[in-house]
Amino acid sequence: MSTATPPSDTAASPIPSRDPVFDELGFPTDPDNLYTQTVGQMLTAAEAINLQHRVRIILAQPKNEVMVHFPVRMNDGHHRLFKGYRIQHNNALGPYKGGFRYHEDVHLDDVKSLALLMTFKCALVRIPFGGGKGGVKIDPRSLAEDELQRVTRRYCAAISHIIGPDHDIPAPDVGTNAQIMAWFADTYMVSSGYADNDALRVVTGKPVSFGGSQGREKATGQGVADVLAEMLPGIGIPLHGMSVTLLGFGNVNSWAGRILQDMGANIVAVMDHTAALRNENGLDCHALAAYSEQNYGIAGYEKQPTATGAGTRADKGVEVISEEEFYRTKCDVFIPGALEQMIKPKQAEMMNCKVMAEAANAPCTPAGDRVLQDKGIEIIPAILANAGGVTVSYFEWLQNKSCVTWDAGHVDRELNRHMCAAAQRALDARKRYNCDLRTAAFAAALEHLGEVYKVRGIFP
Ligand code: NAD
């Protein structure tokens, strides 16, 4: 599927006026800049709760922005120079926390946005972490496994002086996985001088055999399902029999799809970077996930014999559809779980759903978001919908710190408790401030951050 960005991004609703904090801090004037967009959402909520000016300006910029370049020997003998980032947005509530991604389009403003969202996610779910994010500009699929391992070890070495088990704790994101976290942890452990057990906590999302938590791999998808189960009854959509479309079918959405299917939902359409598929009777996400893992995408799945052996139902009647047909597919819940800013006004105009649950971070442009709001689509924002990943990362960190292991049922129950409480916090803030759910979720997180700044004060 194409990732090309249309030249302009206009929408029916008027563009909201620019917050004075943007000019005070010298922000770019481009309203579609992802970082400006994310800070704008935060400032709207700050205004709603009448947050102190000093907290607004602190949260509008990351504390630290680190950019690194490092060489790696490739298998043909030549050396290639890679660019990496680690952004530490805020640590008022605890150590910086946030994943790192491998993607060819990684750049500074995106990583800054993702780091800011982490601060708000942790504050909303009330886990004692701040926000950070990292990335390397690289197409991981173009590298051999040993090259990927060397890139990971050099990236870890390049940022090892600013991370640490009690200071900044990375995790997986787009293009990275448990194996990459294992190489990362190993590099830090052999080179940091920390006692081994403590150093293991430097990264979460590790394989279960190497200090990882039960349930971490599916955690973000599980969290999406938990939030939907908590909120949909209030919106009048029964879980059983509801129709769902998934944009993206990687870690997050393949798990969200499998879990929602097991809860009785019909996953009617899925699109990833290779194809778009539809089945009005419901796609079998278990079989599709097994196929996608082996084939690096869902393209060609429709040619499979109906019984793949991995699924819970036979997938009959799968059709290949266009990108436009995908967006136009009627459903109850649309779940974007791919990259940022894919939903522009053009896509938003086509979408035919009642609820959008943001499994991906910042999946809409501001103008796309306004079109969805105008259409009356209920948006469950990313800082709520996809907070399950960092929540189980916190559980992993806690287990490592106290040398215990939790069973899968305990992880699921604790995750559900955190996700339901966060959903109720956002709903409660929506009532109090009479605003949309995105502003309400930011407001509920900001109330906590604002209170902590009030009692801590600002040094000196
Ligand atoms: P992933 O790399 O496993 O999957 C990304 C998916 O996006 C793939 O299916 C890919 O095919 C699809 N995609 C990419 N470009 C596309 C395009 N142009 N059209 C259609 N599909 C496209 O990544 P992930 O870990 O599942 O993360 C997805 C989103 O969720 C990201 O925004 C990430 O920041 C967010 N997120 C991830 C986690 C986590 O624990 N992994 C936690 C919170 C939020």
Side-chain angles (χ1 to χ4, degrees):
M1 294 289 121
S2 159
T3 51
T5 309
S8 70
D9 190 26
T10 52
S13 291
I15 296 171
S17 60
R18 188 172 151 92
D19 192 288
V21 164
F22 286 127
D23 293 327
E24 181 181 345
L25 301 182
F27 270 64
T29 48
D30 173 10
D32 291 326
N33 172 285
L34 185 57
Y35 191 62
T36 306
Q37 168 190 341
T38 316
V39 173
Q41 290 167 353
M42 183 271 285
L43 290 173
T44 303
E47 191 60 30
I49 71 164
N50 196 22
L51 185 72
Q52 288 167 316
H53 169 261
R54 59 175 181 267
V55 184
R56 296 186 200 199
I57 55 173
I58 290 169
L59 293 172
Q61 287 289 20
K63 264 194 166 175
N64 303 307
E65 300 177 19
V66 175
M67 211 181 294
V68 294
H69 293 93
F70 53 91
V72 175
R73 181 176 46 78
M74 309 310 285
N75 284 350
D76 65 4
H78 88 286
H79 280 79
R80 211 174 125 187
L81 195 71
F82 290 93
K83 190 186 198 73
Y85 303 89
R86 185 71 192 168
I87 304 297
Q88 298 173 327
H89 176 259
N90 189 273
N91 63 350
L93 301 182
Y96 303 104
K97 183 85 189 85
F100 62 95
R101 67 171 52 177
Y102 288 168
H103 195 275
E104 62 270 32
D105 292 336
V106 162
H107 69 266
L108 182 63
D109 279 346
D110 292 359
V111 189
K112 283 170 64 175
S113 287
L114 296 167
L116 183 147
L117 289 172
M118 288 304 301
T119 299
F120 285 85
K121 240 174 257 187
C122 296
L124 178 62
V125 186
R126 303 289 199 266
I127 55 177
F129 282 144
K133 203 79 179 190
V136 179
K137 203 171 171 57
I138 179 183
D139 173 6
R141 292 193 184 115
S142 69
L143 266 62
E145 197 187 28
D146 49 344
E147 292 173 326
L148 201 58
Q149 178 172 171
R150 289 196 291 276
V151 167
T152 301
R153 290 187 184 279
R154 277 304 300 247
Y155 172 59
C156 177
I159 62 167
S160 62
H161 61 294
I162 53 153
I163 60 172
D166 294 304
H167 183 65
D168 183 355
I169 305 135
D173 191 66
V174 173
T176 54
N177 56 27
Q179 174 60 74
I180 289 171
M181 298 308 117
W183 293 327
F184 192 98
D186 180 70
T187 307
Y188 189 84
M189 289 167 84
V190 297
S191 58
S192 66
Y194 256 84
D196 279 10
N197 278 351
D198 264 1
L200 189 65
R201 290 185 290 121
V202 73
V203 68
T204 56
K206 302 178 291 287
V208 173
S209 60
F210 184 39
S213 177
Q214 294 289 344
R216 174 59 184 90
E217 198 198 317
K218 65 163 187 158
T220 309
Q222 180 72 59
V224 172
D226 286 353
V227 168
L228 284 171
E230 182 71 6
M231 298 183 88
L232 288 184
I235 302 171
I237 302 174
L239 273 184
H240 198 88
M242 72 172 174
S243 51
V244 174
T245 59
L246 302 172
L247 170 58
F249 199 69
N251 171 285
V252 176
N253 260 6
S254 72
W255 277 110
R258 279 174 275 185
I259 293 163
L260 288 169
Q261 174 183 325
D262 292 346
M263 290 163 96
N266 257 356
I267 315 303
V268 290
V270 175
M271 181 167 87
D272 75 355
H273 70 291
T274 64
L277 302 174
R278 185 164 58 196
N279 187 347
E280 292 299 349
N281 303 317
L283 285 151
D284 181 348
C285 286
H286 290 275
L288 189 60
Y291 176 87
S292 173
E293 212 166 299
Q294 273 175 10
N295 296 279
Y296 301 108
I298 62 173
Y301 174 73
E302 74 288 354
K303 297 188 199 118
Q304 292 295 297
T306 47
T308 61
T312 50
R313 28 172 145 145
D315 246 337
K316 291 195 181 108
V318 180
E319 47 172 339
V320 179
I321 54 172
S322 67
E323 189 170 339
E324 180 168 339
E325 286 171 315
F326 169 80
Y327 281 106
R328 288 193 188 283
T329 299
K330 187 173 178 190
C331 60
D332 293 310
V333 180
F334 183 98
I335 307 183
L339 301 177
E340 294 76 36
Q341 295 197 312
M342 289 184 66
I343 300 170
K344 302 178 173 67
K346 183 180 160 200
Q347 288 75 19
E349 293 289 2
M350 292 189 272
M351 282 166 57
N352 190 357
C353 60
K354 296 176 190 147
V355 173
M356 180 178 78
E358 295 184 341
N361 290 305
C364 298
T365 63
D369 194 88
R370 286 197 296 280
V371 173
L372 296 177
Q373 304 255 12
D374 286 351
K375 288 170 79 167
I377 293 172
E378 176 80 274
I379 299 172
I380 303 180
I383 61 167
L384 171 60
N386 74 24
V390 70
T391 304
V392 176
S393 273
Y394 167 57
F395 299 160
E396 177 177 333
W397 185 83
L398 266 185
Q399 290 170 70
N400 293 165
K401 197 172 164 77
S402 46
C403 298
V404 297
T405 50
W406 295 4
D407 62 38
H410 185 57
V411 172
D412 280 351
R413 281 191 299 278
E414 278 299 298
L415 174 62
N416 185 266
R417 191 171 67 79
H418 280 75
M419 298 307 293
C420 293
Q424 289 305 330
R425 233 168 252 135
L427 289 172
D428 179 47
R430 174 158 77 176
K431 263 194 217 137
R432 277 186 285 122
Y433 299 114
N434 188 24
C435 58
D436 61 79
L437 203 53
R438 187 188 305 288
T439 305
F442 270 96
L446 270 177
E447 285 174 335
H448 184 41
L449 282 155
E451 173 61 21
V452 170
Y453 269 105
K454 198 163 126 197
V455 293
R456 283 184 67 159
I458 294 170
F459 177 80

